[in-house]
Amino acid sequence: MRWQNRRRSNNIDDRRGQRVTGTRAGGAPLLRLLPLLLGRKGGKWILLIIGGLFVASYLGVDIPFLSATGPAGQQSAAYQPSAAEQELAEFTAVVLADTEDTWTQLFQQAGRTYQKPTLVLFSGAVQSACGQASSAVGPFYCPADQQVYIDLSFYQDLKKRHQAPGDFAQAYVIAHEVGHHVQNLLGVSRMVNQRQAQINQVEANQMSVRQELQADCFAGIWGHYADRFRQLLEPDDLNEALVAAAAIGDDRLQREARGSVHPESFTHGTSEQRVHWFKVGFDSGDIARCDTFN
């Protein structure tokens, strides 16, 4: 991709190096129990224990349940990304900026305003409005806070584990998650959630597949505009995205993990389906062509 020297999005929340300790809203449970404990036999020892815990906390020993504040992480001052990782962060910011340009234009043409998502960079684990997640889950979008989350180490996983190298393969991953944000803004996500609450698990999985395939199609739409109007793509870039789409199809992942394929448990679609819908979006650049639900 020709991404160097292009605009970087400002909608980046860099949490790399933060230590996630979970969400603890409403104060520390132990402190709320203090009056009750002191009214019982042995209250003197409870006081001594709590006093010792406060001393430990003062000395820098991490005692999570003593925290009375809301979510979160503690920034590690010692965290220093490598030059290669920082380049990936800059690349991600450029791709996010370009998706902003594409979807802002398309929403304007439809008489709507595109609300730009925030992209959260994290390392190891992260706390979102959708719960705490480790990097093992891969990139994800949380509709509750309208944020995309990615641990940059996933790019290495994409290259080595899934045999899908290349910067446009990485860009496809970002554009797919932004596609989920577009679905959220258009009301598709709400429709899917409502429908899934009314059907059985197998049918709910099928709805999830259709939602994921539409996000692939939306990623293809971004690729269409990035290529035709801004000339970001180089000759082999499209193939990189298609290889990545095929590499993370449910059938291939299940075959690699279990040695067999179970279509009733698919949630993202087959390799063939993912490639097909990305190409539909890429070739047409038309949102109306991305109706995977009919």
Side-chain angles (χ1 to χ4, degrees):
M1 283 182 65
R2 304 181 183 95
W3 65 271
Q4 288 86 354
N5 302 316
R6 297 191 63 87
R7 181 179 76 85
R8 293 170 173 78
S9 174
N10 293 323
N11 298 305
I12 300 288
D13 181 1
D14 192 346
R15 303 186 198 172
R16 290 176 294 171
Q18 287 188 356
R19 181 161 51 88
V20 175
T21 55
T23 301
R24 299 180 298 275
L30 183 59
L31 295 185
R32 291 200 302 270
L33 289 174
L34 182 58
L36 179 62
L37 292 171
L38 290 179
R40 294 183 176 180
K41 185 178 180 181
K44 174 178 65 176
W45 298 107
I46 295 294
L47 276 176
L48 289 173
I49 292 170
I50 292 176
L53 290 172
F54 273 109
V55 170
S57 179
Y58 177 78
L59 292 176
V61 178
D62 183 32
I63 314 232
F65 56 79
L66 285 180
S67 174
T69 58
Q74 294 177 307
Q75 180 67 46
S76 172
Y79 181 78
Q80 293 292 333
S82 66
E85 183 186 350
Q86 193 55 33
E87 183 177 55
L88 284 176
E90 293 173 3
F91 165 80
T92 300
V94 168
V95 173
L96 182 63
D98 206 75
T99 65
E100 292 169 351
D101 294 341
T102 293
W103 290 110
T104 295
Q105 177 183 347
L106 292 175
F107 271 58
Q108 285 177 346
Q109 291 173 359
R112 302 184 59 164
T113 300
Y114 179 63
Q115 300 169 20
K116 300 174 184 177
T118 296
L119 188 147
V120 178
L121 299 176
F122 71 96
S123 52
V126 70
Q127 183 72 44
S128 77
C130 297
Q132 185 171 313
S134 75
S135 57
V137 305
F140 66 95
Y141 172 71
C142 175
D145 57 23
Q146 298 192 5
Q147 297 188 143
V148 173
Y149 293 81
I150 185 168
D151 184 329
L152 296 176
S153 65
F154 177 78
Y155 293 149
Q156 284 299 314
D157 196 40
L158 190 66
K159 176 181 178 181
K160 295 180 178 179
R161 177 187 170 194
H162 300 295
Q163 302 299 305
D167 51 10
F168 198 66
Q170 298 165 356
Y172 153 69
V173 171
I174 300 168
H176 173 90
E177 299 306 332
V178 171
H180 284 308
H181 177 64
V182 174
Q183 290 176 319
N184 193 29
L185 297 180
L186 295 178
V188 175
S189 302
R190 181 174 62 255
M191 178 271 292
V192 169
N193 291 337
Q194 291 173 346
R195 179 62 181 148
Q196 286 178 323
Q198 301 168 351
I199 55 182
N200 62 44
Q201 186 60 54
V202 172
E203 292 173 330
N205 286 346
Q206 292 172 353
M207 288 292 292
S208 177
V209 166
R210 293 175 184 272
Q211 186 176 12
E212 293 294 336
L213 293 177
Q214 187 179 65
D216 281 333
C217 192
F218 286 170
I221 286 178
W222 164 74
H224 173 92
Y225 282 86
D227 183 38
R228 307 292 170 84
F229 294 93
R230 295 184 288 279
Q231 291 77 50
L232 262 67
L233 274 66
E234 295 177 308
D236 200 42
D237 279 346
L238 176 58
N239 186 60
E240 290 178 0
L242 298 180
V243 168
I248 53 180
D250 282 327
D251 53 340
R252 181 173 297 187
L253 293 177
Q254 287 189 359
R255 191 175 293 111
E256 291 174 354
R258 310 181 190 178
S260 58
V261 176
H262 304 272
E264 72 280 359
S265 64
F266 285 177
T267 57
H268 286 65
T270 66
S271 296
E272 182 180 1
Q273 288 174 321
R274 301 199 72 167
V275 167
H276 169 76
W277 283 105
F278 181 87
K279 289 182 68 177
V280 168
F282 187 88
D283 292 340
S284 69
D286 183 2
I287 294 179
R289 295 288 301 276
C290 292
D291 186 2
T292 57
F293 295 92
N294 295 302

